[in-house]
Amino acid sequence: MTSSSPVHGPDGGGRGRGDERLPRPPAFAFPAQTWKEIAYLLGNLPVGIVCFILTLVWLAVGLGLSVTVVGLPLLALGLRFSRLLGRFERNRARALLSVRIDEPSPLPYRPGSGFLSRLWTSLRDPVGWRATLYALIRLPWAVVTFALTLTSLFVAWPVLPWIARGLTHADRAMVRGLLFPSDELERRIAELESDRGTVVDTAAADLRRIERDLHDGAQARLVALAMGLGLAKEKLEEDPEAAAKMVDEAHGEVKLALQELRDLARGIHPAILTDRGLGPALSALSARCTVPVTVSVDLPQRPAPAIEGIAYFTVSELLQNISKHSGARTAEVDVWRTDDRLLIQVRDDGHGGATTDGGTGLAGLTERLSSVDGLFAVDSPPGGPTSVTAELPWRHRTGSAAGTAVAHSRSGA
């Protein structure tokens, strides 16, 4: 006599051996993005009607009253309203169509400007006018997309994803074309204004550093030297031996003052960089590093003095960081040109962990390089090694100073 025991399926329920496997629960066949696109297309009509009516009202009233005092302010307010509509449409496209568009910059009102100046700035707002055009031309398209999508939901279900994708491609094009920030020029102007501020701040910091170094170093030594020579002059007849000793001390102070002045001049712009170029200058720089450094500079010609100076001081700062913080045993410096870019790579086998956050010296290098359209990247995982890459725009040296600066040198501490 045989007996059968129930077989437990994945759902925990028992069924006999001969029972057929239960089908999966029913589910919508379309992926989530397709449903988002369908929702966007169906929402085009109500959103388009509201935006069209509101835009048409303020535009008609503002243009009609533009011959009076209140017409132009109404137009300016309408353009601000269009900016808000544009922001709403960008957010809707970002949420449903995955279109990432940056928000435009605020209106560039000048500090202390009067009412007329602010009014004129508002009336010349290209972002507001493009958003107005977008609201006016969207209504016919919204009617078409709503009708096609709603009809396809009932009679063309199998091909609805392709229909939705094609229609939303047109929506994406309109959003990118009309609701994008003013243009690349606006962004570029903002970047240049920021870079100009960085350059000014860096120059002011360098001037303060030079003033501090002169005041605390060479100037103090020269003052002490003058006082020592004055005392030696008074003791010259009374105690010649003491006067001679004071003169010797003054001579030592002169040497120290000259050395500090040389170091200060090297910090402003080293003479070897001006005379011989980047390769020999970096070789001399690496010789003062406490870590053995391999320097390789492969340049067909010398870049412009400003770019050459920034490259030199970038490597100088990085080698100082290696000497003070890296715990490295060796380091490498490579400089070469690729097309219209000057590339610098500094590597060390230290303990890593370098970062541009927290107001470090690397953060200052990032700002300095960005002020001349340069790039600065740090790859320094904990435990090392560290690789820092800097990229500068290549600018040709003008005049007879242009020459060849190709150097391959190896130096150590």
Side-chain angles (χ1 to χ4, degrees), residues 235-248:
K235 290 182 175 292
L236 185 60
E237 297 180 357
E238 300 176 0
D239 191 353
E241 294 182 359
K245 184 177 180 179
M246 297 178 68
V247 170
D248 288 339

Side-chain angles (χ1 to χ4, degrees), residues 268-349:
I268 298 173
H269 197 84
I272 189 173
L273 179 63
T274 303
D275 297 338
R276 302 179 59 190
L278 198 56
L282 294 183
S283 298
L285 184 65
S286 66
R288 299 195 298 270
C289 184
T290 60
V291 176
V293 181
T294 299
V295 178
S296 175
V297 179
D298 187 5
L299 299 176
Q301 57 185 3
R302 294 179 61 176
I307 300 300
E308 197 173 55
I310 293 175
Y312 175 86
F313 287 109
T314 298
V315 176
S316 175
E317 180 74 20
L318 293 175
L319 291 183
Q320 288 181 24
N321 287 343
I322 291 175
S323 298
K324 296 177 182 178
H325 310 297
S326 71
R329 292 174 297 178
T330 60
E332 298 178 3
V333 177
D334 292 315
V335 182
W336 71 98
R337 177 186 175 184
T338 300
D339 297 330
D340 60 345
R341 307 294 285 182
L342 175 65
L343 284 87
I344 304 168
Q345 190 170 65
V346 179
R347 298 181 297 273
D348 67 77
D349 57 358

Side-chain angles (χ1 to χ4, degrees), residues 4 7-8 82 100 105 157 166 213 242 264 285 296 325 334 384:
S4 62
V7 177
H8 295 277
S82 290
R100 305 292 177 182
S105 303
W157 179 269
D213 292 344
L264 182 60
L285 184 65
S296 175
H325 310 297
D334 292 315

